[in-house]
Amino acid sequence: MPVADEPASVSLPADELERLCFAAILAAGGSDRLAASLAAATVAADRRGKIQVGTSHLFDYLDGLESGRINGAASPKSVNRLPATHLVDADGGIAQLAFDEVFDCFADSAASLGISILNVMNAFPAGELGYYTMRLAHRGLIAMAGANSSALMSLFGSRDTVAGTNPFSFALPHSQGPRMFDQASSATAWVNVRGAAERGASIPEGWAQAPDGTATTDPEQGLAGSLLPFGGVKGSNLALMIELLAAHGGANFSVDAPSIDEGTTTPGTGLFVIAISADAFDSEYPFRVEEHLARLEQDFGIDFGRKRDDAVIDLPRDTHAALLERAAR
């Protein structure tokens, strides 16, 4: 009798996937604290249906830990110079752990002072930005976040890589769960171009340029060249603004940051997060926002920022197999 083909994916409860990610991070050299922070952030992205910056992206962290680009024993250090500012040195580790270390103090200061800003320096690139803003929105805060990475993208018509994909996220509280968006300043995320190269697929024109600055639909040429910002000058402006804020606390600018996938040195890039009390000016604001968003949906068909929260994650079978292998090392 013919043997049925195996399903293309493996379904895992979110808590089981988090335990598997935790084991893989420990096996790669991460401490218990680092593994807990990174596993939680990874699965949070997966639960929102963003596996490309969740479990698929976790392998970049595992490789970084094994090669020394991430300090697995990192001990983030917080320095507060002003009541509403929080500067954290990630100690060559991950931004997620640095965020966790100061989260309660940061959120409390925003709630009591009306606004607070966090800057993380000396970190591996921050992963899914929505992880940071969603957690603050769950605490009743409006949140904005941005981060830089090693240089992957051109700006203002340059043929050279001078900026990261420099994502930006915004979230605000809502009685049915926070509303959030998270987007790169590039026309697409770097992982999407890399994924196309791995599959042998082409990419749309406008995603990247070849090393000589010409348009390309070949992902290998795009990876050798540079990603392109969305909207030309508008995307370039946004990317540079994000980088200047992300580097405010002492993080590397993208052109100075070591690679995220080669070598033994941490990229040392940065993250900024701004948290604002949702009722800082108007106690009715959260209710007015909910009414306005409901109006946008009912009258105009716009359902802004609603996010999935899957209890079961469908992982590609090869990703699951690779994760099992890394956890068993």
Side-chain angles (χ1 to χ4, degrees):
M1 294 180 62
V3 179
D5 291 337
E6 288 186 324
S9 62
V10 176
S11 297
L12 291 175
D15 58 351
E16 182 179 336
L17 177 57
E18 189 167 336
R19 286 192 294 270
L20 182 56
C21 291
F22 181 87
I25 298 162
L26 286 183
S31 67
D32 283 356
R33 287 193 308 154
L34 186 147
S37 289
L38 183 53
T42 297
V43 176
D46 291 335
R47 293 185 70 153
R48 285 188 276 276
K50 300 183 68 176
I51 290 174
Q52 71 275 18
V53 289
T55 299
S56 293
H57 187 34
L58 178 62
F59 294 94
D60 294 311
Y61 288 91
L62 299 179
D63 292 343
L65 283 163
E66 291 180 351
S67 68
R69 292 189 295 274
I70 298 174
N71 176 9
S75 181
K77 299 173 180 63
S78 177
V79 180
N80 288 350
R81 296 197 178 105
L82 296 169
T85 65
H86 305 267
L87 174 62
V88 185
D89 182 341
D91 191 27
I94 60 171
Q96 294 89 340
L97 177 59
F99 183 72
D100 285 347
E101 293 291 291
V102 75
F103 177 77
D104 286 329
C105 182
F106 173 47
D108 288 346
S109 71
S112 62
L113 298 172
I115 188 169
S116 192
I117 184 166
L118 165 67
N119 207 281
V120 175
M121 60 172 289
N122 194 20
F124 198 76
E128 188 216 15
L129 265 288
Y131 174 70
Y132 306 91
T133 57
M134 285 284 280
R135 285 186 57 189
L136 290 162
H138 276 296
R139 288 281 288 260
L141 298 164
I142 300 168
M144 295 177 284
N148 72 327
S149 69
S150 308
L152 300 167
M153 184 175 74
S154 69
L155 294 179
F156 303 110
S158 168
R159 69 174 58 179
D160 299 313
T161 55
V162 294
T165 57
N166 294 8
F168 181 80
S169 179
F170 170 82
L172 75 171
H174 193 284
S175 62
Q176 297 176 2
R179 300 299 177 93
M180 180 270 284
F181 74 77
D182 177 353
Q183 65 185 52
S185 300
S186 52
T188 192
W190 176 74
V191 293
N192 292 335
V193 179
R194 183 179 65 177
E198 291 170 349
R199 298 190 306 273
S202 61
I203 58 173
E205 190 169 320
W207 276 17
Q209 61 185 0
D212 63 0
T214 59
T216 185
T217 59
D218 180 347
E220 295 285 359
Q221 284 290 298
L223 293 173
S226 59
L227 300 186
L228 293 170
F230 79 85
V233 170
K234 292 180 180 180
S236 295
N237 285 334
L238 182 62
L240 188 54
M241 180 199 75
I242 289 168
E243 176 163 356
L244 295 177
L245 288 171
H248 190 192
N252 283 334
F253 293 111
S254 294
V255 291
D256 301 318
S259 172
I260 68 168
D261 60 357
E262 293 179 347
T264 59
T265 306
T266 180
T269 50
L271 163 76
F272 77 87
V273 188
I274 300 171
I276 305 169
S277 174
D279 58 2
F281 303 112
D282 175 8
S283 62
E284 296 298 310
Y285 177 76
F287 307 104
R288 292 198 299 116
V289 165
E290 290 199 21
E291 290 177 353
H292 181 56
L293 294 182
R295 174 173 55 182
L296 291 180
E297 182 177 7
Q298 293 163 11
D299 296 351
F300 303 97
I302 300 167
D303 188 11
F304 171 76
R306 190 188 300 271
K307 295 301 169 187
R308 294 163 49 179
D309 188 20
D310 298 340
V312 176
I313 313 300
D314 291 328
L315 278 186
R317 183 167 291 276
D318 56 350
T319 301
H320 179 246
L323 189 58
L324 285 173
E325 189 274 326
R326 298 296 283 263
R329 288 186 180 179

